[in-house]
């Protein structure tokens, strides 16, 4: 079920906590009257039903999308236009609170200390209002939007280790390990052996900020036990939410679904039912932008708890920043990528007279999809829904717009001596509109050439389903297809969502599928389809329960496809649909974020094509390319991705040869390596093309090299409007900034020319470079042979990491060769500047390959600019076949002060 990505308007603790400047004062009496007038316009409630004490959501049913419209209208039409902080406004509950804030008061007015809980609103695949004409608006915009739509299947891709840890593990803070039964104590013991302050607990203590949840590794006795792990993980996330909503921290969920997130063969039919954990983690990452979140699928495969724990601890301390990591027992490290794949609508398995059972198919976008399919298949459709069909009063049949209907319903109620509240009136209207939509859907299916029946049955009610289907089978025949599209939403942040809201949203999806599979177990099914959402792939603000449920559905039907190869199986993760709930404001916002919406007719066509697709892909996203950043809505560019590492003799012994006055100093190119690994980990599936504007702001002296090490944070932030670019930084444990650079990443590796331009060089005079000219010693004596030097530059053969013996790290750059090149630049600087010098900046590090070369490497440093106290060179590296490996462009060496 495709739900529109919600703006960050849930009003969680983080938005209320910030001290914000008060907007320009506006007359409160004018704002109050204006507020009531605008709310009446937006909701259809008469002004005389409204009061400033009313809660927007609990009393008036104003969801976050309608809130955006209302606040925008208030700001535009107020006597003195005010631009209050939108995040703060999002945290206000009553009309009076908003009036007070916009009027210049920081005190809440009409505040309800215990606001009514959000009312879950029923959705069949998407809001019922999403029935706008498919081709409304600018035709050019429609064409452009359609061209942005695609079809994306899920694949495992390699994710090399970085040798860096999850932030929050190495700094000495308490890390709580929970949920894993026999695994808890073993994981804690191994973490403590590696310097992590870990503890095993049965419940998180108040204020906990770092947690590793291991519940997904436990054995499950039955489906109910597996499903319960999802709820347990959500409860752990709720316990963390008060702290992590506005602070740094760590949340890791570990599961065993085959070490592939269910994509590869798995024999245990219970494991898919616990697989909602990654969607919870991805939603938490959106709602907690300062926290590090990770979902790990670790295949147990009969291994001992010690062996499983060792694999997990290695991942936590050496793995990387990917939010989803798959660790199969056979080895390797993988993450997930959504890859464009064409549809092949060639073979129809459902034909005239075949019976298809559809949950949630009588309303919303699902109804449009079924009507389109009915015209091609001529099948018979059994539509399930919760709404009970009732006759509509004749006095209402000619009324269409919402205000008129509300007014008529209110007049009828008052004529009966009743005084309905706004929520009661809204419920009457919802029932009336739902009845109309169901009847329209039945008529549309019939007009298209199919047949349809509507059954008012809760999809999770197995007994009612079984009874009704017995009659259907007698009259129409066996069930040949199942489409599960029923769903509800109750958007609230993890911190604010109630248990009742979670259960209603989650159970409708998960218990509904379970019931449908059970009641059709003996039917000759040819097709099984579930309507999922892009939120399952990316997470979504306020939709942890919805995202988790859809993730479970996807993995369960993937298992069904594997178990029943004759069955065509589809999990359709819809992006946002064009429709009635998409206001001009949100349409503009989606456009700014690069999120295309699906026109109704286009989406219906995509669905019908999938029903005839013979390609075999099961888990799909339909719509725009799935990008979690697009769903952040507020602060996407402010998210800070982090990894951390500790540098000491035990892990980086080779740095002993890069010491000044006896203290090891981190080489510039080693920092470039750290940034390269981090960038690829922050953006899995992309390749590093270059590091730009690489700057040494403060060199790193390893004062703790033999005494516990020095800890560093590698940070990355997205660059606004910079597709595939990250701003990177290296900070020490105190927050001091040492290095920065801008990473450019792309799908394809940069193509390179072969060979190097010629240099006119004089013969080297034979002076020992490491005894007299350079401070480098031991493993950092990396210049194998100097070909010559002149005022044009210097040429040499240098050793790579293999020749240098640096084989214990997952190198992505050949750090040894690059350091040898910088040593050449120092020698050139000595010639041109007449004394000692050090590299201080590199304009660009261009990368042409991933793995370091195995042989000796030729390097050439070209003089580009000479100043009174600085020299600039370009350094090019080629392998033994003359292929260009790396370029250091604009290497700036500055002369050291002379004493």
């Amino acid at each position: 079920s495709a739900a529109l990505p919600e703006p960050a308007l849930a009003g969680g603790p983080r938005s209320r906590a910030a001290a914000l400047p008060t907007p320009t004062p506006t007359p409160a009496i004018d704002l109050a009257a204006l507020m009531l007038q605008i709310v009446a316009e937006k909701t259809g409630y008469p002004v005389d039903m409204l009061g400033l004490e009313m809660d927007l959501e609990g009393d008036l049913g104003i969801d976050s999308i309608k809130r955006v419209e209302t606040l925008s209208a208030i700001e535009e039409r107020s006597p003195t236009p005010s631009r209050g902080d939108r995040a703060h406004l999002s945290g206000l509950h009553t009309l009076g609170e908003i009036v007070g804030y916009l009027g210049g008061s920081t005190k809440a007015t009409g505040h309800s200390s215990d606001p009514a809980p959000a009312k879950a609103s029923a959705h069949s695949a998407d809001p019922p209002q999403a029935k706008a004409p498919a081709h409304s608006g600018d035709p050019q915009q429609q064409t452009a939007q359609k061209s942005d739509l695609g079809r994306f299947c899920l694949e495992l891709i390699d994710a090399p280790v970085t040798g860096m840890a999850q932030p929050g593990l190495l700094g000495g803070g308490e890390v709580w390990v929970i949920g894993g039964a026999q695994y808890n104590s073993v994981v804690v013991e191994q973490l403590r052996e590696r310097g992590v302050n870990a503890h095993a607990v049965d419940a998180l203590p108040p204020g906990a900020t770092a947690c590793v949840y291991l519940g997904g590794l436990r054995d499950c006795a039955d489906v109910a036990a597996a499903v319960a792990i999802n709820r347990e993980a959500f409860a752990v996330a709720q316990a963390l939410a008060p702290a992590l909503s506005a602070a740094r921290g760590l949340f890791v969920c570990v599961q065993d679904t085959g070490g592939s997130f269910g994509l590869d063969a798995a024999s245990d039919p219970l494991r898919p039912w616990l697989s909602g954990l990654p969607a919870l983690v991805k939603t938490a990452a959106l709602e907690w932008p300062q926290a590090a979140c990770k979902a790990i699928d670790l295949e147990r495969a009969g291994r001992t708890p010690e062996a499983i724990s060792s694999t997990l601890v290695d991942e936590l301390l050496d793995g990387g920043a990917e939010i989803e990591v798959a660790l199969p027992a056979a080895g390797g490290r993988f993450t997930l990528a959504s890859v464009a794949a064409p549809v092949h609508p060639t073979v129809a398995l459902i034909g005239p007279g075949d019976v298809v059972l559809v949950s949630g198919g009588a309303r919303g976008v699902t109804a449009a999809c079924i009507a389109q399919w009915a015209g091609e298949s001529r099948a018979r459709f059994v539509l399930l829904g919760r709404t009970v069909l009732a006759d509509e009063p004749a006095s209402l049949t000619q009324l269409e717009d919402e205000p008129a209907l509300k007014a008529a319903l209110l007049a009828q109620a008052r004529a009966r001596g009743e005084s309905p509240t706004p929520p009661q009136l809204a419920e009457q209207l919802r029932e009336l509109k739902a009845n109309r939509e169901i009847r329209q859907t039945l008529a549309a299916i019939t007009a298209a050439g199919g047949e349809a029946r509507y059954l008012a049955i809760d999809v999770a009610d197995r007994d009612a389903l079984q009874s009704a289907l017995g009659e259907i089978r007698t009259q129409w025949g066996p069930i040949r297809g199942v489409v599960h599209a029923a769903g509800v939403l109750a958007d609230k942040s993890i911190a604010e969502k109630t248990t009742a809201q979670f259960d209603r949203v989650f159970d409708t999806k998960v218990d509904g599928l379970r019931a449908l599979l059970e009641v059709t177990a003996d039917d000759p099914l040819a097709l099984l389809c579930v309507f999922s959402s892009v939120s399952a792939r990316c997470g979504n603000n306020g939709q942890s329960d919805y995202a988790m449920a859809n993730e479970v559905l996807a993995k369960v039907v993937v298992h069904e496809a594997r178990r029943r190869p004759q069955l065509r199986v589809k999990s359709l993760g819809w992006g946002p649909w064009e429709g009635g709930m998409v206001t001009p404001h949100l349409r503009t916002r989606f456009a700014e974020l690069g999120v295309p919406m699906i026109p109704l007719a286009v989406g219906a066509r995509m669905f019908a094509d999938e029903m005839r697709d013979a390609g075999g892909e099961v888990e799909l996203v339909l719509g725009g390319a799935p990008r979690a950043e697009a769903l952040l809505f507020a602060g996407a560019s402010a998210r800070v991705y982090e990894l951390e590492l500790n540098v000491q003799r035990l892990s980086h012994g080779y740095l002993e040869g890069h010491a000044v006055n006896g203290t090891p100093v981190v080489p510039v190119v080693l920092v470039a390596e750290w940034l390269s690994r981090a960038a690829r980990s922050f953006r899995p599936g992309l390749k590093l093309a270059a590091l730009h504007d690489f700057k040494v702001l403060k060199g790193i002296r390893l004062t703790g090299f033999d005494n516990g090490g020095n800890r560093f944070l590698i940070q990355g932030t997205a660059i606004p409007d910079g597709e595939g670019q990250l701003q990177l930084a290296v900070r020490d444990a105190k927050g001091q900034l040492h290095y920065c650079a801008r990473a450019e990443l792309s799908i394809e590796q940069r193509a390179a020319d072969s060979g190097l331009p010629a240099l006119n060089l004089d013969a080297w005079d034979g002076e020992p470079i490491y005894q007299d000219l350079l401070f480098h010693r031991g493993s950092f004596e990396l210049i194998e042979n100097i070909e010559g030097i002149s005022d044009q530059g210097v040429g040499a053969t240098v050793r790579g990491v293999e020749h240098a013996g640096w084989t214990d790290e997952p190198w992505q750059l050949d750090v040894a060769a690059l350091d040898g090149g910088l040593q050449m630049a120092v020698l050139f600087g000595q010639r041109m500047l007449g004394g000692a010098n050090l590299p201080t900046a590199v304009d660009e590090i261009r990368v042409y390959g991933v793995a370091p070369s195995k042989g000796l490497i030729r390097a050439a440093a070209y003089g580009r600019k000479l100043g009174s106290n600085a020299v600039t060179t370009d350094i090019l590296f080629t392998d033994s076949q003359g292929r260009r490996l790396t370029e250091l462009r604009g290497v700036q060496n500055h002369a050291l002060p002379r004493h």
Side-chain angles (χ1 to χ4, degrees), residues 142-224:
Q142 290 286 343
T143 302
Q145 183 183 66
K146 181 177 178 180
S147 68
D148 292 334
L149 302 177
R151 178 181 187 269
F152 304 88
C153 65
L154 203 57
E155 292 183 1
L156 287 171
I157 61 173
D158 287 328
V161 299
T162 66
M164 303 179 195
Q166 293 299 295
L169 293 178
L170 300 179
E174 292 178 310
V175 178
W176 308 97
V177 180
I178 189 172
Q182 75 270 29
Y183 299 103
N184 288 354
S185 59
V186 184
V187 170
V188 165
E189 180 181 358
Q190 294 188 11
L191 283 172
R192 293 182 74 88
E193 288 175 354
R194 296 182 63 175
V196 180
N197 185 13
H199 309 272
V201 291
D202 294 324
L204 289 180
T209 59
C211 173
V212 179
Y213 174 71
L214 303 179
L217 292 177
R218 297 200 309 258
D219 289 325
C220 301
D222 51 29
V223 171

Side-chain angles (χ1 to χ4, degrees), residues 447-470:
E451 297 181 65
R453 293 186 184 182
Y454 176 77
L455 301 178
I457 295 176
D458 185 336
V459 67
D461 188 340
R462 293 166 179 76
D463 293 338
L465 267 179
Q466 196 68 272
S467 175
L469 291 184

Side-chain angles (χ1 to χ4, degrees), residues 402 418 634 817:
E402 189 168 304
E418 301 171 358

Side-chain angles (χ1 to χ4, degrees), residues 456-545:
I457 295 176
D458 185 336
V459 67
D461 188 340
R462 293 166 179 76
D463 293 338
L465 267 179
Q466 196 68 272
S467 175
L469 291 184
E471 183 177 345
I472 292 293
R473 293 185 184 99
T474 299
Q475 297 177 4
W476 275 4
I479 309 301
R480 289 279 292 160
V482 171
V483 177
H484 181 35
V488 297
L489 292 175
D491 289 0
K492 284 286 187 182
S493 67
I494 293 170
E496 293 189 325
K497 196 177 293 285
T498 68
T499 301
Q501 289 166 349
F502 181 94
D503 290 346
R504 177 171 166 79
V505 173
F506 188 84
D507 292 348
T508 299
K509 284 284 185 184
V510 175
D511 285 358
L513 177 62
R514 188 177 175 189
L516 290 170
L517 291 176
E518 289 181 2
V519 299
T520 61
D522 296 327
D523 285 294
L525 289 187
L527 183 142
L528 171 63
C529 174
V530 295
F531 271 40
S532 181
S533 167
V534 68
S535 65
R537 179 86 303 274
C538 299
N540 198 8
N541 285 288
Q543 293 185 350
S544 53
D545 43 12

Side-chain angles (χ1 to χ4, degrees), residues 429-451:
L429 179 63
R430 191 199 69 78
E431 290 288 335
L432 185 148
K433 294 174 72 175
N435 269 260
R436 287 184 176 183
E437 193 172 0
I438 292 168
R439 290 190 174 89
Q440 291 169 0
T441 299
L442 295 173
I445 292 174
T446 301
E451 297 181 65

Side-chain angles (χ1 to χ4, degrees), residues 810-864:
W811 300 111
Q812 296 188 3
L813 304 176
D814 198 317
V815 172
L818 297 186
D819 197 81
L822 291 186
Q823 293 175 31
M824 294 164 57
V826 170
L827 294 176
F828 184 69
Q830 289 174 352
R831 176 186 178 97
M832 305 305 292
L833 299 173
N837 61 95
L838 285 176
T840 57
V842 182
D843 288 343
E844 183 180 3
I845 302 176
R846 289 192 178 184
V847 180
Y848 298 106
V850 176
S853 177
K854 294 186 178 300
L856 289 172
I857 295 167
R858 183 166 180 260
Y862 298 82
R864 289 291 179 251

